[in-house]
Amino acid sequence: MLESIFTGSLSPEVFLICLGASIVYGLVIAFCHSFKNKSSSNLFVALALLPAMVQTVIMLVNGNVGTGVAVAGAFSLVRFRSAPGNAKEITAIFLAMAVGLACGIGYIALGGILAVSLSLLSILFQNGIFQNWGKKDRYLKITMPENLDYEEVFQDIFKEYTGVSELLQVKTVNLGSLFELQYKVQLKSDKKEKDFLDALRVRNGNLELYLARSMDERASL
């Protein structure tokens, strides 16, 4: 069951079997990744087709070292033409590539086991034991006057409203007249989020504040 279906030279029948399996497994990965998850239609299409593309490339290489090096160089250029995704998206992409690799060398059953088991495990983790993991984590950006001590000025507020606060980045803006601070914080209670922001506004002179609700939103800070 877990042996390769390749017995000799590549035949059209074997290629079509591997191609069909790759497309089916890609659809399984795409549907499972989209289950109760905000993902774009572009990512859905990419996950559905990626196993078939990787499988075809692996079959074309078929032990040819020169072709393999050329293909590796071509794939390395892809990262410069695509925006980085979050950890969940990158994991799904790697899964799709692994399944395509398995199908490309003839391990159809192994590719199916990999696609189905890891996709279902991902759904279980996201909607089961890890469903509420990190829900109180926030990414916070504070703009404040440069004459205030950013290391001490907000400490009492963080102590009252957060369980964890970590300063990630400090930079000057507006020709050095303002500081821009970026924090990772974990709120003690979601119900006090507005009180937390109001206390920060009083302390920073009602300058700009930005609070992102998840790690994925940090890029917009």
Side-chain angles (χ1 to χ4, degrees):
M1 180 180 177
L2 297 180
E3 294 182 355
S4 174
I5 64 173
F6 290 170
T7 56
S9 60
L10 180 64
S11 65
E13 293 80 8
V14 171
F15 173 77
L16 291 177
I17 291 173
C18 293
L19 181 63
S22 298
I23 293 174
V24 171
Y25 299 156
L27 288 171
V28 170
I29 295 171
F31 275 113
C32 289
H33 176 75
S34 302
F35 181 75
K36 292 185 178 181
N37 182 33
K38 295 180 180 179
S39 60
S40 65
S41 59
N42 291 337
L43 181 61
F44 183 93
V45 173
L47 291 175
L49 298 181
L50 189 56
M53 290 186 287
V54 173
Q55 167 251 316
T56 303
V57 169
I58 296 300
M59 286 185 168
L60 290 175
V61 173
N62 195 23
N64 189 315
V65 177
T67 306
V69 172
V71 169
F75 271 110
S76 67
L77 296 176
V78 174
R79 66 181 296 271
F80 299 105
R81 300 292 296 173
S82 58
N86 57 43
K88 193 185 303 181
E89 293 174 350
I90 294 173
T91 301
I93 290 172
F94 270 104
L95 175 59
M97 294 179 66
V99 170
L101 178 61
C103 292
I105 56 180
Y107 290 94
I108 302 298
L110 180 61
I113 294 172
L114 187 65
V116 173
S117 60
L118 293 189
S119 295
L120 293 178
L121 196 61
S122 175
I123 293 176
L124 177 63
F125 284 164
Q126 293 174 35
N127 299 279
I129 56 177
F130 297 119
Q131 183 176 9
N132 297 318
W133 188 280
K135 278 199 170 182
K136 293 184 179 180
D137 288 349
R138 301 288 188 272
Y139 282 93
L140 172 69
K141 183 176 73 174
I142 304 175
T143 303
M144 58 174 285
E146 56 88 21
N147 61 336
L148 296 179
D149 182 3
Y150 63 81
E151 293 182 340
E152 300 292 338
V153 66
F154 302 113
Q155 288 304 312
D156 56 330
I157 299 175
F158 287 146
K159 186 176 181 180
E160 179 180 356
Y161 291 99
T162 70
V164 176
S165 62
E166 179 185 357
L167 180 60
L168 302 177
Q169 179 178 311
V170 179
K171 70 177 182 179
T172 58
V173 295
N174 197 26
L175 299 177
S177 62
L178 300 173
F179 280 128
E180 183 179 279
L181 314 177
Q182 292 188 20
Y183 288 89
K184 177 181 179 182
V185 299
Q186 188 176 83
L187 298 180
K188 292 180 179 179
S189 173
D190 292 338
K191 296 180 180 178
K192 294 186 177 181
E193 185 175 294
K194 184 179 184 302
D195 295 338
F196 175 53
L197 291 177
D198 288 341
L200 292 174
R201 289 171 55 202
V202 172
R203 195 65 56 86
N204 81 331
N206 205 30
L207 293 174
E208 181 182 353
L209 293 175
Y210 186 94
L211 189 66
R213 288 181 170 271
S214 70
M215 181 180 294
D216 300 339
E217 297 177 38
R218 182 184 171 190
S220 61
L221 286 176

